[in-house]
Structure formats: C-alpha cells, structure tokens
C-alpha cells in the first residue's frame, strides 16, 4: 500500500510539470484536479476509510477542479480591480497571494495605511465576500534595517491594519487572521535599496476551503 500511494504521488508530480498552457502560463484548474485526485486516491487507499481508491479519486477530482476554477476566476477579478495600483496577484494553483508593496500602502516606518489605498483594500474585501469559500491570512514583512524586535512589531501592526480594513469592509473575522514575519521571509536581497523595498510588503493569502 505504501508503494501504491508513493507511486500515485510521484506520477502526479510528473503530470504537474506538464500542466502549462501553450503561452507558458500555468493551468491552475488542471493542477487543482491533479492534486485533488492524487489526494483522493491516497485517502481512498488508506485502510481506515473504506471508500476505495476509485471513489477517493473521484472525490478528489471534483474538489481539486472546483478549487482550481475558483482561484482562476478570483485571480482574474482581482487583476482587473487592482490594475495600476501597485499590487500583484500570484496564483500558485492552490492559493492566491495578493502582495501590497510598502511604497503604496504605508509611509516608511509607519503602520498607518495611506487613505487612498484603503479603497483598494476594500476592492479585495469585495472579492472575498463574493468568494466566501476561503480562509485569509494577512502577513506583514519588513526589510532588515533596524532591530529584530522593531521589525517584528512593525510587520504585525501592518498586517493587522490591512486585516482591520478587510473586516470593516465586510469580511468575516472568523475567516481571517494576521501575523507578522519581521524580516525573516525576504523575497529579494536586503543588500540593495531595491531589494529592501521589495521585502517591505503585506501579503494577503487566500486559501480555498472547497
């Protein structure tokens, strides 16, 4: 049984590598289907489930496909709403990551949102209300200038500020939590001004629950 499950997961990984559209973009619905099917097969193959691999595969296929389609649809809507705002939307096939750079959301060293950007976050809140089958994690990040304690606190306050606007705009608090990572998850080198600017950001991570 261990060999069977391992083979399924390895085969799925190989299939995922081929899940690209002709233009090079990723086919997230297909990715969701493959991941869901693999998970369903693995679960169905377990001795305690009693549902069998075929039924598990069918269940996982439906769930994975639905999640992939949901992410594709929501990504398209968010890209349209956030065009020219400085925000970016990345679809990994299992989550959406909306990145808000410090340069358009906060003054340097401040956790007070620019008033103009409150409206942009309200757009994101509307999308979250329209797509209620997800959980939301708001994560604050900083560069490495200053002490660990200072940056940790700043990242937490900035994440909380964004989460508060989402809640005030109608997103249920039970779906959401905020955390700060300080400077521990950089996306660029902290050795250059440009790299540090990229690291100062807030991410809104949307994870489907379907």
């Amino acid at each position: 049984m261990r060999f069977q499950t391992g083979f399924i997961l390895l085969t799925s990984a190989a299939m995922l590598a081929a899940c690209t559209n002709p233009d090079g973009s990723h086919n997230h619905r297909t990715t969701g289907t493959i991941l869901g099917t693999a998970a369903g097969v693995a679960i169905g193959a377990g001795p305690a489930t009693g549902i069998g691999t075929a039924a598990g595969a069918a269940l996982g296929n439906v769930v994975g496909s639905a999640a992939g389609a949901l992410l594709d649809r929501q990504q398209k809507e968010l890209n349209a709403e956030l065009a020219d705002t400085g925000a970016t939307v990345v679809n990994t096939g299992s989550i959406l990551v909306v990145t808000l750079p410090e340069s358009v959301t906060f003054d340097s060293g401040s956790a007070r949102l620019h008033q103009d950007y409150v409206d942009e976050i309200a757009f994101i809140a509307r999308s979250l209300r329209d797509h209620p089958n997800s959980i939301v994690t708001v994560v604050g990040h900083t560069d490495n200038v200053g002490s660990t304690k200072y940056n940790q606190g700043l990242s937490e306050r900035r994440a909380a500020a964004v989460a508060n606007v989402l809640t005030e705009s109608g997103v249920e608090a039970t779906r959401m939590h905020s955390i700060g990572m300080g400077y521990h998850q950089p996306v660029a080198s902290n050795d250059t001004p440009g790299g540090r600017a990229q690291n100062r950001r807030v991410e809104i991570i949307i994870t489907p629950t379907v």
Side-chain angles (χ1 to χ4, degrees):
M1 186 65 67
R2 247 180 229 173
F3 171 79
Q4 180 184 22
T5 302
F7 176 77
I8 290 165
L9 295 177
L10 285 172
T11 303
S12 299
M15 293 172 69
L16 283 173
C19 290
T20 53
N21 295 318
D23 63 357
S25 62
H26 206 69
N27 188 325
H28 298 108
R29 183 167 186 169
T30 302
T31 299
T33 300
I34 291 173
L35 290 175
T37 301
V41 169
I43 292 169
T49 64
I51 65 173
T53 56
L59 176 62
N61 186 299
V62 171
V63 172
S65 180
L70 172 67
L71 288 174
D72 286 342
R73 185 165 60 252
Q74 192 169 13
Q75 179 192 24
K76 183 178 180 180
E77 294 170 3
L78 285 169
N79 277 331
E81 292 174 345
L82 299 174
D84 303 320
T85 67
T88 60
V89 184
V90 173
N91 185 347
T92 71
S94 57
I95 61 172
L96 290 182
V97 181
V98 182
T99 300
L100 312 177
E102 179 206 52
S103 59
V104 295
T105 48
F106 299 98
D107 288 330
S108 179
S110 171
R112 183 173 181 176
L113 278 162
H114 292 159
Q115 189 58 41
D116 290 346
Y117 218 82
V118 170
D119 292 338
E120 311 302 340
I121 297 173
F123 283 139
I124 300 172
R126 184 176 68 188
S127 176
L128 293 173
R129 295 196 310 270
D130 290 344
H131 300 279
N133 295 319
S134 65
I135 57 174
V136 184
T137 306
V138 184
V139 189
H141 301 272
T142 68
D143 61 25
N144 67 347
V145 177
S147 70
T148 300
K149 181 178 179 180
Y150 169 79
N151 281 295
Q152 181 61 36
L154 180 61
S155 68
E156 292 173 0
R157 292 192 300 274
R158 286 181 167 177
V162 171
N164 286 340
V165 174
L166 292 174
T167 302
E168 292 167 359
S169 299
V171 180
E172 300 92 336
T174 54
R175 293 175 58 191
M176 184 167 48
H177 69 282
S178 65
I179 58 175
M181 297 304 299
Y183 52 69
H184 298 296
Q185 289 187 348
V187 293
S189 171
N190 274 309
D191 294 334
T192 66
R196 289 192 294 273
Q198 291 182 61
N199 292 331
R200 299 190 298 267
R201 69 201 190 277
V202 173
E203 295 171 336
I204 301 172
I205 301 173
I206 304 167
T207 306
T209 57
V210 293

